[in-house]
Amino acid sequence: MGKKAVLIGCNYTGTKAELKGCSNDVKKMQRCLIDRYGFSEGDIKILIDTDDSYTQPTGRNIRNALALLIKSAETGDVLFVHYSGHGTRLPAETGEEDDTGYDECIVPCDMNLITDDDIRELVDKVPKGCRITFVSDSCHSGGLIDDAKEQIGESCKDDCEDKEENGSGLGFVGTIIQKTGDALQSAFSHDNIAEDSTLTNRSLPLDTLVDILKQKTGNHNINVGNVRPTLFDVFGEDSTPKIKKFMKVLMDTFKGGSGAGAGADGGGFLGKIGVLAQDFLKEKFENNADYGKPAMETEVGGKQDAYAGSKKNKLPENGILISGCQSDQTSADATPSADRAEPFGALSHAIQMIIQETDGKVSNRELVVKARNSLKKQGFKQRPGLYCDDKHVDSPFIC
């Protein structure tokens, strides 16, 4: 049985999105995997942006590392992924009436967003009989393994808290409730550890993302309605598959002539992005006939492939997700006062404490229940979630 891991930490040093504890989370998890779970150092790939001697956690590098992890897996292997960094959500941009969802994303250090659908496509390639556990200490992480059954989560908030405290509460919902404004609200209180620390949300507001992209590109016409075209313009071939699919549908519409004047009545593809998008694409194609090649070579089944939100495929039986918080909360990045420990992610810190207390002998359900109780005692309001097939609920954490 092989044991392989990818650990990702993004601190975004020197940007408006800066965090403090993500690289520390990764280094502690690396030590934990080696000391507690028998991983070999050579089988752990680390991506952090605070040390140039490590691979940088850009969008391209993260996707490549995850793809290599899965490609190298064999039946019976244990795969583990830990992500500490910002999460964000992209609203729909097509203008279609039935495109009303959000793409949940992790935020690489270069802002080349990776969507839940992108991660799901990778998880779908995990070999049968091989298990992958994904811990995401970020916001908007409950959908990263798309359409996973929520074992501990939103449905437990109101009437299952007492059950969770003794480890018996399980919740069942079809989808996670999405609330756009909630992502921007603080989701922790100031008691105990929380009170003695400087806290930052691991949620990247869209306006901050837009500001960073403006600074990166020098283009001040970027807004929340054209983030996807901007990401493609900046990253091109290195854009995520979901972004390329969006652009392919957009370009097919534009080149087919159905985009002409589509902005006039505000309907359909190009309707929401409108004239600015058409002018933008026209200028790009005039200056470079191959501008859209990376997108045009992407396979798309239909315009729905470009829609925001999950495609609601059947849950992969081998995927386990532990998220940092619920959809109406934010995960905390904590910087303790000078005489205390180094900065950390609240979920990552709780996991390390639990593993130390249990010598790593803890089930997925026990870990999440204990993490919830621990965070509550420390003064944090965020409530981690567990998303997986029933058979993995009481399986050992990692292995």
Side-chain angles (χ1 to χ4, degrees), residues 95 97 258-272 274-275 278:
E97 290 184 359
S258 58
D265 60 5
F269 237 102
L270 285 176
K272 189 171 184 178
V275 177
Q278 297 178 58

Side-chain angles (χ1 to χ4, degrees), residues 188-202:
F188 34 72
S189 61
H190 298 277
D191 300 306
N192 305 324
I193 291 178
E195 186 177 56
D196 296 333
S197 304
T198 300
L199 302 174
T200 304
N201 292 349
R202 288 188 173 182

